[in-house]
Amino acid sequence: MRRLISLHRLPFLAPLLAAAALSLSGCASLLAPPVAAGDSEEQVVTRLGPPTAVYPDGNTRLLEYAPGPFGQYAYMARIGPDGRLLSYEQVWTIQKFQSIKIDQATKNDVLRIVGRPTEVMRYARIPYEAWNYGFKESGVWNSQMTVYFDDNGIVRKVENGPDPRYDDSRMRF
């Protein structure tokens, strides 16, 4: 004779089963693309929420979806002149940062390429304003890309290194 195990005898099992069911129910929505080319701007905003910024770019507009202070990914939705989505992409990548033209690009150019930075600062020994972007390099490394601007707002240097926000060496004794 088989005996069924009652959930009231194993009180820890009910929350585990509920959590498993909820996590599996969300899988389908996580795998679906958040927006698709051809969606209207209204559909994009309904699906993704209000953008953190909007940048004009020729006859198109870029809707920026920037992360919070510890985020490592930023997205841009390009809306065409007809009000439809042309592309949606993650922009904090090595390829995008490499497309910033040193001695040519302005702050507005950088905003259109990679959006707003995680942090803006001036370092004591460097005569430039620094825009820091904490990002997940190659989807693996906690990195920080820094874009340096002169007083005229022109990019003078771009450099990559480890993200100090995730450096635990300061905590070692």
Side-chain angles (χ1 to χ4, degrees), residues 96-170:
K96 284 289 187 180
F97 288 119
Q98 287 174 341
S99 72
I100 298 170
K101 293 180 172 60
I102 296 172
D103 296 330
Q104 287 183 345
T106 65
K107 288 180 179 182
N108 285 332
D109 295 330
V110 173
L111 288 172
R112 285 191 300 273
I113 294 169
V114 292
R116 70 179 183 179
T118 308
E119 171 184 58
V120 176
M121 61 189 317
R122 277 194 150 340
Y123 295 102
R125 296 182 180 171
I126 301 172
Y128 301 133
E129 181 179 303
W131 287 12
N132 295 323
Y133 295 85
F135 73 111
K136 197 66 121 167
E137 185 176 345
S138 300
V140 178
W141 297 284
N142 295 319
S143 298
Q144 178 175 279
M145 189 66 71
T146 303
V147 180
Y148 297 95
F149 297 93
D150 66 16
D151 290 335
N152 295 319
I154 305 297
V155 173
R156 295 302 176 193
K157 182 179 178 183
V158 178
E159 71 180 357
N160 189 14
D163 190 337
R165 299 174 305 166
Y166 295 94
D167 182 11
D168 67 347
S169 65
R170 297 172 294 172

